[in-house]
Amino acid sequence: MDRPFALLAELTYDCPLHCAYCSNPLDLASYTDELTTAEWQRVIAEARELGALQLHLSGGEPLRRRDLVELVRTGRELGMYSNLVTSGLGFSPARAEQLRAAGLDHVQISVQADEPSLSDRLAGTPSYARKLDAARLVRQLGWPLTVNVVLHRQNLDRIDGILELVEEMGADRVELANTQYYGWAWRNRDGLLPSRAQLERAEQSVRAARERLQDRMQILYILPDYYERYPKPCMGGWAARQIVLAPDGAALPCLAAHDLPLPRASVREHSLAWIWAESPLFQQFRGTDWMADPCRSCERRELDFGGCRCQAFQLTGDPARTDPVCHLSPDHGLVAEAVRNAGDRANDPAPRGEPTLLPRPHPRSTAPRSVPLKEVRQ
């Protein structure tokens, strides 16, 4: 694709939840100078001119933006399909009616677990009941509903109950996405990475649910990269399909690229068209010319595009390295060791010195409180 298919607008990193697996930046305070309503409207129009058909409104919690209804209306007037990615908190009947009148097309709600106390602990705040209320409201107003569940060591064994809950919520689609280790999730990897045995049990549950619900609900199950033989293509390839905009106007080719030591691109300084076509950031790893071996000579190079640049940087300090998830990578031992450690902890009946989970703080907070895993487990 030579044009972006979608714009993912991260309107704010402000969020009522404090999830330990959040992939947003660690330095949240650097993103509090958010784009104004007029700036967002200009950028949405520029994205449509580039060819973007979808507008995904995310965060943080996009409902924290008072101008959300105006931004949805802007997308509708431009002919874009709009999707609200929300925790469900703040999704009141009045706000929902306003969003429907403005032309919102779809709602995606996150769920942490199927059991109320565990869900609230993983979210870092009482939220379980309000999420169910939000889902009911979505169905009452006739929107398609997707439920997103980030899976990890602390909730993966409850996947049967999670699927039952999602079915009760009346979801059209569920995304069971194993944690990607960026941002806060990277800080908490040791406490979040599941064991192979957990994953095998979960896959059996997903297969059974797909057979039972094939005519009623689409189930998307995404394996964790660390357990794959080959890496996944990052967003379909670096700067190939989508533009991500951070709250302060930083344009990114993927969700975690804010941590890479690369030139920045901002819609406050350049047009979206220039950023997409000419900025050094978006050109850096586009296509395959940048690759070294083993990627350059691999027959899969145009399938996975070398894997995730952000993951390569997290694990090796070099975003140009082959993604260590790949079994052909010279750095694959880094992933294999993490997987072995996850299995060792699962087989230890009385683990000692377990890591703590560091919750995502408020954007203006500087000293988040660590939560021992024993407080998270049911």
Side-chain angles (χ1 to χ4, degrees), residues 17-21 111-129 131 149-159 161-162 165 191-192 198 357 371-378:
L17 304 188
H18 304 277
C19 304
Y21 54 77
V111 167
Q112 280 67 41
D114 62 307
E115 194 279 323
S117 61
L118 176 62
S119 177
D120 289 346
R121 286 197 294 271
L122 290 172
T125 191
S127 56
Y128 178 85
K131 288 174 178 288
V149 186
V150 177
L151 298 174
H152 46 78
R153 190 181 189 89
Q154 308 303 320
N155 65 1
L156 195 58
D157 291 330
R158 300 196 61 91
I159 196 165
I162 288 171
L165 173 65
L192 295 172
Q198 282 183 297
L357 289 182
V371 180
L373 292 186
K374 65 182 181 180
E375 292 186 19
V376 176
R377 289 178 176 156
Q378 184 183 10

Side-chain angles (χ1 to χ4, degrees), residues 4-8 47 51-56 80 241-244:
F5 180 73
L7 174 67
L8 174 55
L53 300 174
Q54 296 182 357
L55 174 62
H56 301 279
M80 302 177 77
R241 298 182 180 177
Q242 184 166 263
I243 298 174
V244 179

Side-chain angles (χ1 to χ4, degrees), residues 80-337:
M80 302 177 77
Y81 183 92
S82 58
N83 172 38
L84 177 64
V85 183
T86 177
S87 67
L89 277 64
F91 196 68
S92 65
R95 198 81 182 280
E97 289 284 5
Q98 292 172 347
L99 289 167
R100 187 175 69 164
L104 183 67
D105 294 295
H106 182 273
V107 179
Q108 175 178 313
I109 296 176
S110 65
V111 167
Q112 280 67 41
D114 62 307
E115 194 279 323
S117 61
L118 176 62
S119 177
D120 289 346
R121 286 197 294 271
L122 290 172
T125 191
S127 56
Y128 178 85
R130 286 185 284 175
K131 288 174 178 288
L132 299 189
D133 289 342
R136 281 190 288 269
L137 186 54
V138 169
R139 303 308 292 159
Q140 289 171 7
L141 294 178
W143 276 304
L145 172 63
T146 292
V147 173
N148 175 266
V149 186
V150 177
L151 298 174
H152 46 78
R153 190 181 189 89
Q154 308 303 320
N155 65 1
L156 195 58
D157 291 330
R158 300 196 61 91
I159 196 165
D160 289 314
I162 288 171
L163 284 165
E164 290 177 5
L165 173 65
V166 172
E167 183 182 3
E168 292 172 4
M169 293 170 72
D172 301 286
R173 185 172 184 265
V174 58
E175 296 178 355
L176 302 169
N178 276 277
T179 303
Q180 300 292 308
Y181 297 103
Y182 312 116
W184 297 98
W186 172 250
R187 286 274 187 94
N188 290 308
R189 187 185 69 170
D190 289 348
L192 295 172
L193 186 64
S195 69
R196 192 176 299 276
Q198 282 183 297
L199 289 168
E200 289 173 353
R201 292 192 296 268
E203 288 186 68
Q204 293 175 5
S205 295
V206 170
R207 282 197 295 270
R210 280 175 171 161
E211 292 178 6
R212 181 171 59 86
L213 299 170
Q214 58 184 328
D215 297 327
R216 285 182 285 162
M217 185 171 67
Q218 180 186 7
I219 300 176
L220 178 65
Y221 179 64
I222 303 172
L223 279 171
D225 288 0
Y226 282 39
Y227 288 90
E228 297 272 30
R229 185 171 173 81
Y230 296 102
K232 300 179 180 71
C234 176
M235 308 280 287
W238 180 272
R241 298 182 180 177
Q242 184 166 263
I243 298 174
V244 179
L245 278 187
D248 65 345
L252 304 167
C254 71
L255 287 164
H258 42 68
D259 285 335
L260 298 182
L262 297 174
R264 300 303 186 204
S266 173
V267 296
R268 282 176 164 160
E269 299 172 3
H270 298 283
S271 70
L272 212 54
W274 182 89
I275 291 171
W276 176 261
E278 301 183 45
S279 68
L281 175 61
F282 276 61
Q283 295 287 347
Q284 186 78 32
F285 298 114
R286 185 177 269 158
T288 59
D289 290 345
W290 60 272
M291 293 179 178
D293 282 329
C295 293
R296 180 179 291 276
S297 57
C298 181
E299 61 183 10
R300 293 179 55 88
R301 64 184 177 276
E302 294 188 3
L303 295 176
D304 57 38
F305 298 98
C308 178
R309 300 299 86 223
C310 302
Q311 192 156 251
F313 176 68
Q314 288 277 24
L315 291 167
T316 73
D318 182 358
R321 299 280 286 183
T322 297
D323 188 338
V325 162
C326 182
H327 75 287
L328 299 173
S329 166
D331 304 305
H332 182 65
L334 297 170
V335 171
E337 181 182 7

